[in-house]
């Protein structure tokens, strides 16, 4: 079996060591005589797994006291709606910083439950840059400020954490969580769909400050209330045990790589290699994103002649590279450089890109 170089934006590559461990455990996990998917989530074995996964994540991110870690379901999109349900009451408003497709969707899904105000946006710039901080119009009394640190489709990324004063900062970190160290204490709530840097789709990891769990929110069923999930150790209902198990393996793999400092250094090298290839191609390849806003995780790029797009994609796939087609909203190409994408994979990609440019330039 030959594994391809996988640059998918999500569901994305998982570390090969994690997949091999899962393969090894598939029929007999932890000496149980069954797969982890076949055992009770309330049994001693799984409860120990869950506790270790949380402990590993807390170590990786240096999660301070006063925060709960939740393993939820629904994908980030569900939580676009569920967050205002939990953090705001009737008549409340929240500020949204919109820098791409997922920020737009967060506003749209929140709007039935809260007065979602767009405090800043870069839509006029086609989401190719970030809105300057002095243009943000944060409103007094906001329940929270929401932003997307990394936009997967448009390839823009905040390289700092915005200062929004005493208002809780909420971040959709789906495509950049665990890619480098993060000061969790700067946030009120962090959430991330697992399918990019954590594990398989169907799991959401959330880190939420205790005082926000105590907010009354609005009337809703218990299953939607984060405080209920926290009180029940994320087992208010049957959780995604397979996703939780693979997330725990991924956390352990990250610790074995040297943690998030080492991972951040590797991710920076990968992005530098690819952007230098694009910028040094004499215009054959182009990055449309403003340099200061370029994402390390998702690198969209175009060819100087769009007529070559189909040729590039066909040849790259034949050469063993997966999922380099850009999102339909922006076109072109996109290479996603999540944690499980090795520096070797990026080096192979840039070799192909240079060869392609030499043959088609």
């Amino acid at each position: 079996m030959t594994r391809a170089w996988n640059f998918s934006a999500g569901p994305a590559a998982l570390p090969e060591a994690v997949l091999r461990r899962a393969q090894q455990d598939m029929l007999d996990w932890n000496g149980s005589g069954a797969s982890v998917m076949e055992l009770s989530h309330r049994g001693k074995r799984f409860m120990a797994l869950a506790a270790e996964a949380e402990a590993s994540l807390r170590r990786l991110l240096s999660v301070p006291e006063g925060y709960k870690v939740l393993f939820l379901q629904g994908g980030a999109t569900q939580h676009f709606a569920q967050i205002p349900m939990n953090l705001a009451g009737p008549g409340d408003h929240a500020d949204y910083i919109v820098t791409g497709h997922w920020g737009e969707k967060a506003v749209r899904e929140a709007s039935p439950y809260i007065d979602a105000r767009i405090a800043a946006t870069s839509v006029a710039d086609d989401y190719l840059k970030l809105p300057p901080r002095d243009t943000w119009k944060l409103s007094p009394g906001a329940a929270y400020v929401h932003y997307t640190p990394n936009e997967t489709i448009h390839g823009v990324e905040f390289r700092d954490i915005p200062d929004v004063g005493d208002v809780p900062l909420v971040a959709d970190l789906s495509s950049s969580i665990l890619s480098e160290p993060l000061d969790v204490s700067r946030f009120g709530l962090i959430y991330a769909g697992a399918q990019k840097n954590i594990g398989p789709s169907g799991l959401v990891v959330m880190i939420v400050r205790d005082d926000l769990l105590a907010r009354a929110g609005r009337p809703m069923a218990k299953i939607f209330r984060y405080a209920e999930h926290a009180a029940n150790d994320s087992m208010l209902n049957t959780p995604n045990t397979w996703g939780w198990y693979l997330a725990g393996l991924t956390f352990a793999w990250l610790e074995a790589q040297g943690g998030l400092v080492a991972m951040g250094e590797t991710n920076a090298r990968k992005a530098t290699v690819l952007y230098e290839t694009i910028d040094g191609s004499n215009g054959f390849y182009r990055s449309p994103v403003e340099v200061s806003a370029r994402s390390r995780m998702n690198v969209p790029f175009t060819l100087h002649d769009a007529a070559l797009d189909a040729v590039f994609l066909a040849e790259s796939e034949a050469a063993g590279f997966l999922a380099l087609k850009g999102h339909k909203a922006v076109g072109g190409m996109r290479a996603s450089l999540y944690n499980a994408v090795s520096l070797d994979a990026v080096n192979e990609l840039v070799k192909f890109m240079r060869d392609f440019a030499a043959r088609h330039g």
Side-chain angles (χ1 to χ4, degrees):
M1 181 185 69
T2 301
R3 283 181 58 76
W5 305 111
N6 188 356
F7 292 91
S8 174
L14 285 166
E16 186 171 331
V18 168
L19 293 174
R20 292 193 180 280
R21 175 60 187 273
Q23 181 185 49
Q24 174 186 319
D25 287 349
M26 181 62 74
L27 297 179
D28 181 8
W29 170 65
N30 201 22
S32 64
S35 165
V36 68
M37 293 179 287
E38 300 173 294
L39 297 173
S40 170
H41 58 291
R42 300 194 184 281
K44 289 182 179 180
R45 284 189 171 92
F46 189 84
M47 294 292 282
L49 176 155
E52 177 50 35
E54 178 178 338
S56 181
L57 181 61
R58 284 182 177 273
R59 289 192 297 268
L60 283 165
L61 286 170
S62 299
V63 178
E65 293 295 320
Y67 285 80
K68 295 292 190 297
V69 174
L70 306 180
F71 293 83
L72 306 171
Q73 298 176 62
T77 299
Q78 175 176 311
H79 296 277
F80 293 162
Q82 207 166 329
I83 285 167
M85 291 169 65
N86 279 268
L87 301 192
D92 283 348
H93 71 275
D95 289 333
Y96 281 75
I97 312 302
V98 180
T99 53
H101 171 87
W102 295 107
E104 283 186 348
K105 194 168 185 181
V107 171
R108 188 164 61 249
E109 296 300 317
S111 292
Y113 306 100
I114 196 171
D115 177 10
R117 302 179 182 180
I118 298 178
T121 180
S122 52
V123 64
D125 297 305
D126 296 323
Y127 297 131
L128 298 178
K129 58 176 67 174
L130 298 172
R133 184 63 181 83
D134 60 8
T135 67
W136 293 20
K137 296 179 180 178
L138 300 176
S139 53
Y144 57 86
V145 176
H146 180 285
Y147 83 122
T148 310
N150 184 81
E151 280 282 356
T152 313
I153 292 173
H154 292 88
V156 296
E157 180 181 25
F158 285 83
R159 295 303 301 139
D160 62 345
I161 299 172
D163 182 358
V164 295
D166 294 332
V167 178
L169 184 61
V170 173
D172 172 9
L173 276 163
S174 294
S175 55
S176 57
I177 194 169
L178 300 175
S179 62
E180 63 180 347
L182 183 71
D183 184 357
V184 174
S185 69
R186 297 282 302 279
F187 297 88
L189 185 152
I190 290 166
Y191 65 112
Q195 66 273 13
K196 303 174 190 292
N197 262 333
I198 296 175
S201 59
L203 180 74
V204 171
V205 171
M206 180 174 289
I207 303 171
V208 55
R209 211 168 61 207
D210 288 348
D211 64 293
L212 298 186
L213 289 173
R215 287 189 176 184
R218 63 186 60 238
M220 70 187 95
K222 283 185 177 182
I223 195 65
F224 297 124
R225 193 173 296 282
Y226 296 144
E228 294 287 346
H229 286 277
N232 288 274
D233 298 321
S234 300
M235 296 188 187
L236 183 61
N237 62 328
T238 304
N240 179 350
T241 55
W242 175 247
W244 202 330
Y245 157 76
L246 283 173
L249 293 184
T250 301
F251 301 154
W253 176 81
L254 284 167
E255 290 194 282
Q257 306 312 300
L260 300 190
V261 171
M263 190 54 58
E265 292 170 352
T266 299
N267 286 330
R269 287 198 296 273
K270 293 187 303 188
T272 296
V273 166
L274 183 50
Y275 281 119
E276 285 182 348
T277 299
I278 293 168
D279 294 340
S281 68
N282 295 317
F284 188 90
Y285 301 107
R286 297 187 181 96
S287 169
V289 178
E290 186 178 79
V291 172
S292 63
R294 284 177 171 178
S295 169
R296 296 159 306 125
M297 294 287 97
N298 309 101
V299 181
F301 60 96
T302 60
L303 278 62
H304 76 99
D305 181 358
L308 287 172
D309 286 5
V311 181
F312 181 93
L313 291 170
E315 289 193 13
S316 63
E317 186 170 350
F321 299 98
L322 294 183
L324 287 171
K325 186 175 183 179
H327 191 275
K328 61 183 179 181
V330 297
M333 312 299 153
R334 175 178 53 177
S336 294
L337 311 181
Y338 302 129
N339 289 340
V341 177
S342 67
L343 182 57
D344 286 344
V346 178
N347 286 332
E348 290 298 319
L349 174 61
V350 301
K351 284 181 189 176
F352 170 81
M353 291 171 64
R354 290 170 181 151
D355 177 68
F356 186 89
R359 290 184 290 105
H360 295 279

